[in-house]
Amino acid sequence: MAANLFGRYVWLVDILLRYRRLTFQEISDLWQESGLSYKEPLPLRTFHNHQKAVADIFGVEIKCDAADGYRYYIDEPERLEGNNLHSWLISSYATLNQIQADNKLEDRIIFEDIPSGQTWLTPIAEAMRRNHVLSITHHGFGKPEASTFEIEPYCLKVVKRRWYVVARSPYYSGRNRAKGIKPNDVYRVYALDRIYDIEDTGKAFKMKKDFDVNQYFEGCCGVITSDGPIQRIVLLAYGGFADYLRTLPLHESQREIESNDESTLFEYHLKPTLDFYQLVLAKGDQVEVLEPESVRDEMRNFAKNMLNYYTIKEENEPCKE
């Protein structure tokens, strides 16, 4: 029932974002066509209750403009557009509502599977809500075996079809504090698909007031963080590939600085971690790093290694009969 109610709130926000301004009758007509109404009209009292719920959940008001024929609209919709979580929820639930409205669409909308979110996402989110310490059994890549330890889950992040939990480590934070090592508080990122078991310890923790997740990932392209400085990086995109970068930027700092019929220059301000190099390498010969020279050299090393993989060496050729 709660999920259905939330779906109704999202539906209301979604149609007002799409249509901008609607009378109550227009809203009710659209409601009857949706997959949530069971073909029943929308009661005015229910609509007003949904108005209040939207304000509480999404932090925006649905107002009525009497001078415009008593049309309803979302006041300051940019507040929703600037919130990644709210935008994702609205988009996801709006699509689900559409599928419910017409079962014929069920096999015609394909979603990308994120395996790591199926098992551990709910218990971690619940622990975050209650500020409970978790005991997790985690087997990191490159580690000989799994280990069990406690974490204080701060936030969740999804990158490249993997869910990650950003957590404060009580062990390393306590060790640093005892030895006078800076920083006193140590935060780690754990992939959910490397977690084998989770247990809620029942112990509560208080989130550090000075922790800012956006600052923690500032200048990063994924989940790999760095203490290095943010650098200005210039990327050259060849031909029509610039359109792909315009519609799906590599990083939020992306800015187009020059363009002609053959290529386009893009500027970034970020930390060139492995995540960044993997993003650029995935674009193949469609892009080229121009500046700085240190990042260009690193890309050159990656290219040399790849060329070695695909270069035919006579001494390594398979035996011929």
Side-chain angles (χ1 to χ4, degrees):
M1 182 62 180
N4 191 35
L5 273 177
F6 186 77
R8 293 181 177 192
Y9 307 149
V10 170
W11 174 87
L12 182 58
V13 172
D14 177 58
I15 64 162
L16 287 174
L17 286 175
R18 286 191 287 125
Y19 292 95
R20 301 298 179 184
R21 287 172 174 258
L22 294 168
T23 64
F24 172 72
Q25 186 58 53
E26 290 171 334
I27 292 173
S28 182
D29 291 342
L30 289 169
W31 168 254
Q32 285 187 272
E33 296 174 7
S34 75
L36 298 172
S37 67
Y38 302 103
K39 304 301 180 182
E40 296 291 333
L42 180 65
L44 182 59
R45 181 177 179 181
T46 299
F47 170 69
H48 289 316
N49 288 337
H50 288 3
Q51 269 185 285
K52 296 176 183 177
V54 165
D56 291 338
I57 295 172
F58 297 104
V60 293
E61 291 187 66
I62 297 176
K63 293 185 175 181
C64 182
D65 188 350
D68 188 25
Y70 292 94
R71 283 182 167 81
Y72 290 89
Y73 65 97
I74 293 179
D75 189 39
E76 298 183 288
E78 62 275 6
R79 296 179 63 183
L80 286 174
E81 295 166 359
N83 188 305
N84 291 337
L85 176 60
H86 288 167
S87 296
W88 177 76
L89 285 172
I90 292 168
S91 176
S92 299
Y93 266 86
T95 304
L96 178 61
N97 290 342
Q98 186 61 47
I99 294 173
Q100 288 179 329
D102 190 345
N103 290 332
K104 294 178 181 178
L105 295 178
E106 186 172 355
D107 296 326
R108 296 171 61 186
I109 299 178
I110 302 173
F111 292 93
E112 189 172 36
D113 183 34
I114 305 179
S116 59
Q118 297 175 1
T119 306
W120 306 123
L121 199 56
T122 300
I124 291 176
E126 177 64 18
M128 287 168 54
R129 186 182 68 82
R130 302 171 68 186
N131 280 350
H132 274 195
V133 177
L134 291 175
S135 174
I136 69 171
T137 301
H138 181 270
H139 193 173
F141 290 121
K143 298 292 181 67
E145 57 185 20
S147 56
T148 301
F149 48 87
E150 292 184 351
I151 63 169
E152 298 173 358
Y154 271 43
C155 62
L156 288 159
K157 183 174 185 177
V158 62
V159 177
K160 300 176 186 175
R161 297 183 61 216
R162 276 196 171 98
W163 278 101
Y164 297 85
V165 57
V166 182
R168 178 182 177 272
S169 168
Y171 171 76
Y172 286 109
S173 298
R175 186 199 63 174
N176 282 13
R177 187 171 286 103
K179 293 184 177 181
I181 302 174
K182 296 291 184 178
N184 286 339
D185 293 304
V186 179
Y187 301 92
R188 298 289 177 89
V189 181
Y190 303 98
L192 269 60
D193 57 7
R194 305 308 299 162
I195 296 177
Y196 292 166
D197 191 30
I198 288 181
E199 180 182 348
D200 190 327
T201 66
K203 295 186 294 186
F205 71 89
K206 288 186 178 180
M207 288 187 64
K208 298 293 181 179
K209 294 182 179 180
D210 59 352
F211 178 80
D212 184 333
V213 67
N214 293 316
Q215 184 178 1
Y216 182 77
F217 286 113
E218 185 180 12
C220 301
C221 289
V223 294
I224 299 177
T225 59
S226 170
D227 294 329
I230 292 176
Q231 300 185 44
R232 177 181 180 270
I233 296 173
V234 178
L235 201 70
L236 180 66
Y238 291 103
F241 191 75
D243 291 332
Y244 289 88
L245 293 182
R246 292 186 183 106
T247 53
L248 189 61
L250 286 182
H251 185 258
E252 59 187 10
S253 66
Q254 177 175 297
R255 186 174 71 91
E256 186 174 332
I257 56 178
E258 188 178 326
S259 181
N260 56 41
D261 292 339
E262 296 181 355
S263 62
T264 303
L265 286 176
F266 291 95
E267 179 186 70
Y268 303 87
H269 291 271
L270 50 79
K271 299 177 182 180
T273 62
L274 180 60
D275 282 331
F276 168 75
Y277 289 115
Q278 288 177 336
L279 280 175
V280 177
L281 287 166
K283 310 307 176 187
D285 62 355
Q286 304 288 337
V287 297
E288 178 186 356
V289 173
L290 298 185
E291 301 176 23
E293 194 62 33
S294 59
V295 176
R296 185 174 171 85
D297 285 342
E298 192 65 26
M299 286 297 301
R300 186 181 291 112
N301 291 332
F302 281 116
K304 286 180 179 178
N305 290 335
M306 292 177 65
L307 182 60
N308 287 335
Y309 297 153
Y310 293 99
T311 298
I312 298 176
K313 299 179 181 179
E314 292 184 2
E315 62 272 21
N316 292 332
E317 284 186 344
C319 298
K320 298 180 180 179
E321 294 183 1

